[in-house]
C-alpha cells in the first residue's frame, strides 16, 4: 500500500512538473525591451505579434500563429501581450499554450506606463491590437494593423526562406 501511494505521489509530481515545463515563459516587456528584441534577432526573419487576452480577434489569430510557427521553423516568432489589463500572466500563459506558442519568445507588458512602451516601438502606435510586425532578414520592417492574413504571412516567410538560399 505504501509503495502504491509513493508511486502515485511520484507520478503526480512528475505530471505537475511536465505541465509547468509546458507553460510559456513570460518575460517582462519594459523600457529597452524593444531594442533588446531587435538586437537579439538581427539578421533573422522575425514575426513580432502584439496581442491581449481581452482581444477577441487575438483569440482567433493566436492558434493560426501557432500553426505558422510550426510550418515556418526558420522564422523567429515573438509574442508580446500588450493588454492594458494588469497582471494576467496565468491567462496569458494558458492562451499561448493552447495556441501552440509556448516555445515562442513570449513577453508581457511589465510597465504600467504602456504609452511609453508603445512609443519606443512606434511613436504613431495608439495601442490597437492585434498588431504584427514583420522584420526581414535585412532589417526591413512591415507593420500589419489588425488581424494578419495568414496567406500573406506565408508568402512573406517563403520570401525570407528564399533569401536564405541565395546567400
Amino acid at each position: 500500500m505504501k509503495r502504491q501511494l509513493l508511486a502515485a505521489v511520484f507520478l503526480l509530481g512528475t505530471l505537475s512538473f511536465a505541465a509547468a515545463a509546458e507553460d510559456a515563459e513570460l518575460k517582462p516587456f519594459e523600457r529597452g525591451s524593444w531594442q533588446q528584441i531587435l538586437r537579439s534577432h538581427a539578421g533573422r526573419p522575425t514575426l513580432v505579434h502584439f496581442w491581449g487576452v481581452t482581444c477577441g480577434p487575438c483569440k482567433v489569430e493566436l492558434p493560426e500563429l501557432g500553426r505558422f510557427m510550426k510550418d515556418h521553423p526558420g522564422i523567429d516568432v515573438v509574442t508580446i501581450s500588450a493588454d492594458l489589463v494588469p497582471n494576467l500572466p496565468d491567462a496569458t500563459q494558458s492562451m499561448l499554450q493552447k495556441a501552440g506558442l509556448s516555445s515562442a519568445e513570449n513577453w508581457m507588458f511589465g510597465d504600467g506606463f504602456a504609452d511609453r512602451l508603445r512609443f519606443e516601438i512606434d511613436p504613431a502606435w495608439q495601442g490597437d491590437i492585434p498588431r504584427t510586425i514583420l522584420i526581414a532578414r535585412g532589417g526591413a520592417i512591415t507593420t500589419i494593423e489588425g488581424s494578419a492574413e495568414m496567406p500573406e504571412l506565408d508568402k512573406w516567410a517563403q520570401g525570407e526562406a528564399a533569401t536564405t538560399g541565395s546567400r
Side-chain angles (χ1 to χ4, degrees):
M1 179 72 173
K2 227 179 197 180
R3 246 189 262 162
Q4 290 172 327
L5 181 59
L6 285 174
V9 168
F10 175 77
L11 180 62
L12 284 174
T14 302
L15 291 174
S16 297
F17 178 78
E22 289 177 9
D23 283 349
E25 176 193 352
L26 290 175
K27 299 177 182 181
F29 191 91
E30 301 164 335
R31 288 183 75 180
S33 294
W34 181 243
Q35 290 304 315
Q36 179 184 343
I37 290 169
L38 293 176
R39 277 191 309 274
S40 67
H41 294 277
R44 295 194 39 81
T46 305
L47 179 151
V48 182
H49 183 69
F50 295 87
W51 68 286
V53 297
T54 60
C55 163
C58 299
K59 293 175 184 178
V60 173
E61 196 168 27
L62 278 181
E64 293 175 351
L65 288 172
R67 285 188 292 281
F68 174 88
M69 186 175 82
K70 183 180 175 194
D71 293 344
H72 302 285
I75 304 292
D76 293 350
V77 175
V78 177
T79 74
I80 302 172
S81 176
D83 248 331
L84 295 180
V85 181
N87 302 321
L88 292 174
D90 291 342
T92 301
Q93 287 176 321
S94 175
M95 287 180 69
L96 289 167
Q97 185 176 358
K98 287 177 186 170
L101 290 164
S102 292
S103 62
E105 181 178 327
N106 298 300
W107 297 74
M108 184 171 155
F109 272 17
D111 182 336
F113 193 17
D115 288 341
R116 177 176 53 204
L117 297 177
R118 288 192 302 261
F119 187 84
E120 281 188 34
I121 298 158
D122 178 354
W125 182 27
Q126 297 297 308
D128 296 342
I129 50 176
R131 177 186 179 96
T132 303
I133 297 178
L134 305 174
I135 307 170
R137 184 178 315 286
I141 293 178
T142 303
T143 300
I144 301 168
E145 302 284 347
S147 295
E149 297 294 328
M150 289 303 130
E152 290 299 314
L153 294 182
D154 289 334
K155 183 178 175 183
W156 174 79
Q158 289 165 1
E160 286 300 307
T163 61
T164 301
S166 65
R167 287 188 171 198

